[in-house]
Amino acid sequence: MFEQPSGEEQLNAVRPPTGWHKVDAGPFSILAPSGWEFHQLRGVDSYVGEFVGDGVVLRFDFGGNSNSLKEEKKPAFVVIHKPLGGRRGKIVSPKTPGHGITGVYFRNVGDSNALTLFGHDLTSTQQELVLKIFETLRFGGPVPRYVLPPPPTKNVQ
């Protein structure tokens, strides 16, 4: 069962296809096809993880130094600024599928944090799916209390 969007979200809401489910990362979630999973990864200075399914890996960086996707610009990329999940997002996708980042960036998602969610070198079918997933982004959960620490540094001699 999906929550009913309100106000501005209703105008911009895209109904997820039947069978899609919520995949929760804590401070935000997506709706994705059945079989998609969330995995927390080790971050250095931010909360990082990935959503995986249908041969696609969507990584995210939630923190103060998230990639603003400024290198991905016209004419090689389609760049769209629009509200997603009640926040202003920047969506980028390569004009030539399979060559570059398909991603979304939010400059401020609260507490001085930004969010970048992206996939690399996606096929045209994967890119189309990912752009639909971006439309389902929602914010509002807590950052996990336990964030995986970075791996131990090795002593170099």
Side-chain angles (χ1 to χ4, degrees), residues 19-68:
W20 281 32
H21 67 110
K22 182 177 181 178
V23 187
D24 198 341
F28 68 97
S29 64
I30 61 169
L31 298 177
S34 179
W36 275 67
E37 298 178 348
F38 161 70
H39 305 130
Q40 185 177 338
L41 301 175
R42 293 184 185 273
V44 174
D45 62 356
S46 57
Y47 173 49
V48 295
E50 64 187 12
F51 298 101
V52 181
D54 294 321
V56 176
V57 176
L58 285 181
R59 293 243 164 121
F60 71 81
D61 183 340
F62 184 94
N65 297 313
S66 297
N67 180 346
S68 65

Side-chain angles (χ1 to χ4, degrees), residues 2-26:
F2 298 108
E3 292 179 20
Q4 189 71 351
S6 62
E8 186 179 323
E9 281 186 332
Q10 215 161 22
L11 296 173
N12 297 310
V14 172
R15 288 212 179 269
T18 304
W20 281 32
H21 67 110
K22 182 177 181 178
V23 187
D24 198 341

Side-chain angles (χ1 to χ4, degrees), residues 9 25-29 46-48 60-68 82-90 104-117 134 137-144:
E9 281 186 332
F28 68 97
S29 64
S46 57
Y47 173 49
V48 295
F60 71 81
D61 183 340
F62 184 94
N65 297 313
S66 297
N67 180 346
S68 65
K82 66 185 282 186
L84 296 167
R87 301 189 187 274
R88 185 165 171 73
K90 171 185 172 183
V104 62
Y105 171 72
F106 297 89
R107 186 172 58 84
N108 182 1
V109 292
D111 295 329
S112 301
N113 287 312
L115 170 66
T116 308
L117 176 63
F134 289 166
L137 263 159
R138 295 294 176 263
F139 295 92
V143 175

